[in-house]
Amino acid sequence: MTLAPKPVPRKKPAKRRSKRRKPNPYLAWRKRLDRTRPGLIGFTLDGVADLYGHQPWVRRWDPTSELVMTILTQNSADVNAEHAFEELRRAYPSDRPPEKHIPGPGWGGVGLPDGVPPDWALVDLAPLEELVEVIRPGGLPNQKAKGIKAALRAIHEARGDYSLEFLGDIPALEARNWLTGINGVGVKTASVVLLFSFGMPLMPVDRHVERVAARVGLLPKKATADEAHDYFLAMLEPDQMHEAHVNLIRHGRLVCHAQRPNHMICPLRDRCRFFDPKAP
């Protein structure tokens, strides 16, 4: 009589360990601020709002004009960028209907007179040397002419025209990613275009905003300029971003100067770590 072989016990399949998601550093920072310096975000926003008022969103320019204007303002005064944009209008006129141009709060220039945007196809096709001379009043003309032509060419290749109005129909971060996919367009430039052209909940961080926020302690000491945008997205509600940008940029220009800030009139002084390293 042969004995039947003993059944081999089946091994239980090993449980797959679910990969732990890496913590979001921006949300982690927000939680840390709430824990260690409670109320600091609201204190900062309320302080600058008391000084400069509440800022309703107003569309400034069409998004392509906003993009080109933002390129023109890089490392230049806003008023010089306006002069350069006016020269673009004269050199490359379009037949579009006139538009009102409202610079809105936070803009450092005097505003553009009502008129039509340039013919972007003519700008795109213009010889580089010619465009350099046209925008020379804005400063750094060689660098900016290359940036403008590269942006216009990328838009045309992707869309078949020079309009960025389609960005208003997609989510904010997706739109930001689309714009930063253009060579030379960074997070700040993309955020400016989308915030001021469409009111999207994005927070442009320029040197003034970054300086104020870093001094008060809203940003980590080692945060890069690009990271600062996402720290603010974690700190602010969507409807706070336009006003926060406008008022912080004004505060950096008027009070919280890079050299010799005017502490005596600053409403943030009591909680500013630049004024008092032990501020609560």
Side-chain angles (χ1 to χ4, degrees):
M1 180 179 178
T2 56
L3 297 176
K6 291 182 178 180
V8 180
R10 291 184 179 179
K11 290 184 179 179
K12 292 182 179 180
K15 289 184 178 180
R16 289 184 181 179
R17 292 184 178 180
S18 57
K19 291 183 180 179
R20 294 182 63 185
R21 289 185 180 178
K22 291 183 179 179
N24 182 315
Y26 309 112
L27 291 176
W29 173 254
R30 165 66 192 261
K31 291 177 181 178
R32 179 180 173 183
L33 271 184
D34 290 343
R35 185 177 68 254
T36 61
R37 303 190 69 191
L40 181 66
I41 299 169
F43 171 84
T44 302
L45 299 185
D46 290 345
V48 290
D50 287 345
L51 197 57
Y52 306 112
H54 295 293
Q55 311 295 339
W57 177 82
V58 178
R59 177 163 164 142
R60 296 199 302 201
W61 302 298
D62 71 273
T64 306
S65 295
E66 188 77 62
L67 174 61
V68 172
M69 181 66 86
T70 306
I71 292 172
L72 290 171
T73 63
Q74 292 168 359
N75 298 302
S76 297
D78 291 351
V79 67
N80 293 337
E82 290 173 344
H83 292 323
F85 196 89
E86 275 293 281
E87 292 303 317
L88 282 174
R89 280 175 163 177
R90 293 190 186 98
Y92 309 107
S94 69
D95 56 4
R96 292 173 57 180
E99 298 176 344
K100 285 190 174 294
H101 290 269
I102 304 171
W107 179 252
V110 296
L112 290 170
D114 295 347
V116 297
D119 186 321
W120 299 120
L122 295 179
V123 178
D124 183 14
L125 297 172
L128 179 62
E129 298 78 11
E130 177 184 290
L131 183 58
V132 166
E133 292 307 313
V134 169
I135 65 169
R136 189 169 291 281
L140 301 174
N142 292 286
Q143 172 186 324
K144 293 175 182 178
K146 291 177 183 176
I148 290 168
K149 287 181 74 67
L152 293 175
R153 184 63 49 84
I155 296 166
H156 189 266
E157 288 178 355
R159 302 289 302 174
D161 57 26
Y162 298 95
S163 174
L164 290 172
E165 295 290 356
F166 76 96
L167 292 173
D169 297 326
I170 61 180
L173 291 180
E174 186 179 329
R176 191 180 77 174
N177 288 341
W178 194 95
L179 278 176
T180 55
I182 298 174
N183 188 32
V185 175
V187 177
K188 184 195 83 171
T189 296
S191 298
V192 166
V193 172
L194 297 170
L195 174 67
F196 286 101
S197 292
F198 304 110
M200 287 190 179
L202 295 168
M203 175 70 179
V205 182
D206 78 334
R207 66 185 186 278
H208 300 295
V209 174
E210 185 179 14
R211 180 171 63 252
V212 175
R215 285 177 171 178
V216 172
L218 287 178
L219 294 174
K221 291 181 179 179
K222 294 184 179 180
T224 67
D226 278 355
E227 288 172 344
H229 293 80
D230 290 319
Y231 279 112
F232 269 109
L233 293 190
M235 285 189 284
L236 303 180
E237 298 300 323
D239 61 356
Q240 293 177 314
M241 293 182 195
H242 174 260
E243 183 172 300
H245 169 78
V246 169
N247 284 342
L248 287 174
I249 200 173
R250 292 181 73 183
H251 197 62
R253 286 173 174 157
L254 301 176
V255 175
C256 192
H257 311 294
Q259 303 293 329
R260 297 186 294 278
N262 192 345
H263 295 300
M264 299 313 296
I265 65 169
C266 179
L268 310 180
R269 181 179 62 184
D270 291 346
R271 300 198 68 181
C272 177
R273 290 278 171 93
F274 184 74
F275 179 72
D276 177 6
K278 296 182 179 179

